[in-house]
Amino acid sequence: MNEAAGPSTEPVALRLSVGLTAHRDLRPEQEPQLRAQVRRFFEQLHAAFPDLPLRLISALADGGDQLVAEEALALGVELVVPLPMAQAEYERDFPTPASLARFRELLQRARVRELPLAPGNTEAAIQERGEARNRQYAQLGMFISVHCQVLLAL
């Protein structure tokens, strides 16, 4: 801070950030119960911290990530999506056209940040399944865990 300029008068935008890690292979018969539990989780956080807007940090992977994002958005929670690689490359990991469409729809309602290449990685190396691509996903996990105050595991 520049001492001569004095303290800033702009309000600081504090948020309670919830990071997400979730299974991709949810059982369809469990989805209604999971949705209800996720809604209660966000409602309880809001009740406990009414002056802090909530933020969800999720990569929107197929399955639990998308389910939680849908519930969070329905409750007015801000969605931030860190992508472990360029969107077109990341989209190759979605198993079905339906899950890819769901990802793209949710992404339109989010703030997106593409993460840089992990040390030692190249664009060419992450196009193949293996160590380099796994490093990108590990970096994603670290980003989410470092940028949240609460970690939701589904």
Side-chain angles (χ1 to χ4, degrees):
M1 178 169 78
N2 182 346
E3 293 293 327
S8 173
T9 58
E10 292 185 30
V12 176
L14 294 177
R15 303 216 180 298
L16 180 60
S17 294
V18 177
L20 177 63
T21 182
H23 284 283
R24 291 181 180 218
D25 56 349
L26 300 179
R27 295 197 324 226
E29 67 273 10
Q30 291 183 328
E31 276 197 32
Q33 179 184 4
L34 289 172
R35 285 183 183 280
Q37 289 173 328
V38 167
R39 273 192 306 276
R40 275 194 304 278
F41 169 78
F42 282 111
E43 289 166 349
Q44 289 170 346
L45 279 180
H46 181 67
F49 304 98
D51 296 329
L52 284 177
L54 299 177
R55 168 186 290 155
L56 175 64
I57 306 172
S58 168
L60 299 179
D62 188 38
D65 277 26
Q66 293 180 356
L67 180 147
V68 172
E70 289 167 350
E71 293 304 316
L73 286 168
L75 294 170
V77 174
E78 177 189 18
L79 177 59
V80 173
V81 179
L83 296 177
M85 56 200 69
Q87 182 178 337
E89 184 62 33
Y90 183 55
E91 287 181 352
R92 292 180 48 222
D93 287 342
F94 285 83
T96 66
S99 69
L100 178 57
R102 193 174 172 196
F103 164 76
R104 288 176 175 165
E105 180 182 313
L106 290 166
L107 199 65
Q108 301 240 336
R109 301 173 63 193
R111 286 192 23 227
V112 180
R113 176 171 182 195
E114 183 182 323
L115 300 180
L117 289 172
N121 276 359
T122 64
E123 291 291 337
I126 66 170
Q127 291 177 0
E128 302 297 323
R129 302 231 182 271
E131 188 177 324
R133 196 169 184 94
N134 291 344
R135 270 196 303 271
Q136 286 304 119
Y137 280 104
Q139 178 176 259
L140 170 66
M142 290 298 295
F143 179 90
I144 291 172
S145 65
V146 167
H147 288 88
C148 70
Q149 291 81 37
V150 177
L151 182 64
L152 173 60
L154 185 67

